[in-house]
Amino acid sequence: VVAAVAEAAPRVRLRFAPKPDKEATPLREGLIDLEIGVLGTTAPEIRTRFLFTDRRVGVARARHPLLAGAGATPERYAACGHVVASRTGDVIEPVDGALEVLGLKRTILVVVPGYPDAMRIARGSDLVAIVPRSCLGNTLTPDDAAMAGLGSFELPVPAPEFGISAMWHPRLDADPAHRWLRD
């Protein structure tokens, strides 16, 4: 998004803001013009546009034992220490149910508020994290990841895909700059 906007409209300034919950209040009050993320706002007036489907992947430091040899089997994955990204502090993820069916459980050692934090900790330790594939960028190759000190792997248990959408308040429907950004 940043590269596309910078190329098409170099004088436009984007400001990214934290949004700690799924409440529609910042959109209603004009504190946020556009939210991009997983649908969760229950406000009926909020407009939405589906953008893409994402999926979860595992990340670990380059040359982590989980990235070599037999790769990420459920047993090897569960045996690792884990860092979990959670805005709310909740640490249960879809993989936990899938591991439980196999009689396995993760050991969560660190909980952080966001995916960038989880990726930094995984990069600098033996902990592994789960992040949306989109956190790795659209063009990240295995060589790019290794250069960045981080490797990714397919999760060894099923995890549902999820949709990423744009959300905005209807008062911005006709705003030409907002429409341009949404498009």
Side-chain angles (χ1 to χ4, degrees):
V1 169
V2 172
V5 169
E7 183 177 327
R11 296 184 57 158
V12 167
R13 179 175 39 179
L14 299 174
R15 184 173 67 90
F16 291 83
K19 189 163 184 287
D21 55 41
K22 295 288 186 182
E23 295 298 318
T25 305
L27 291 169
R28 278 186 183 131
E29 294 178 357
L31 302 172
I32 294 175
D33 293 327
L34 184 68
E35 179 177 348
I36 298 175
V38 177
L39 287 177
T41 302
T42 57
E45 78 277 16
I46 298 301
R47 304 279 201 258
T48 64
R49 178 181 294 159
F50 175 80
L51 299 175
F52 64 94
T53 299
D54 209 346
R55 62 188 174 86
R56 293 166 179 85
V57 296
V59 294
R61 67 172 169 77
R63 294 180 289 287
H64 188 284
L66 197 60
L67 300 174
T73 65
E75 294 77 14
R76 290 182 73 208
Y77 176 74
C80 293
H82 295 259
V83 54
V84 172
S86 173
R87 288 186 296 198
T88 63
D90 183 20
V91 296
I92 303 301
E93 296 190 36
V95 298
D96 293 306
L99 288 170
E100 189 176 334
V101 168
L102 300 173
L104 301 169
K105 183 176 180 172
R106 299 186 300 161
T107 302
I108 297 168
L109 300 175
V110 179
V111 179
V112 295
Y115 294 119
D117 300 316
M119 293 170 68
R120 276 191 292 278
I121 289 171
R123 181 183 301 118
S125 71
D126 279 335
L127 301 181
V128 298
I130 297 173
V131 301
R133 171 65 181 88
S134 60
C135 284
L136 302 179
N138 291 335
T139 60
L140 188 68
T141 67
D143 288 339
D144 293 334
M147 293 298 289
L150 194 64
S152 66
F153 57 92
E154 296 300 320
L155 295 174
V157 293
E161 293 183 335
F162 53 96
I164 302 296
S165 297
M167 295 155 270
W168 66 95
H169 193 274
R171 77 174 163 284
L172 295 168
D173 278 345
D175 182 282
H178 198 273
R179 188 176 326 129
W180 173 83
L181 181 59
R182 290 191 314 259
D183 289 344

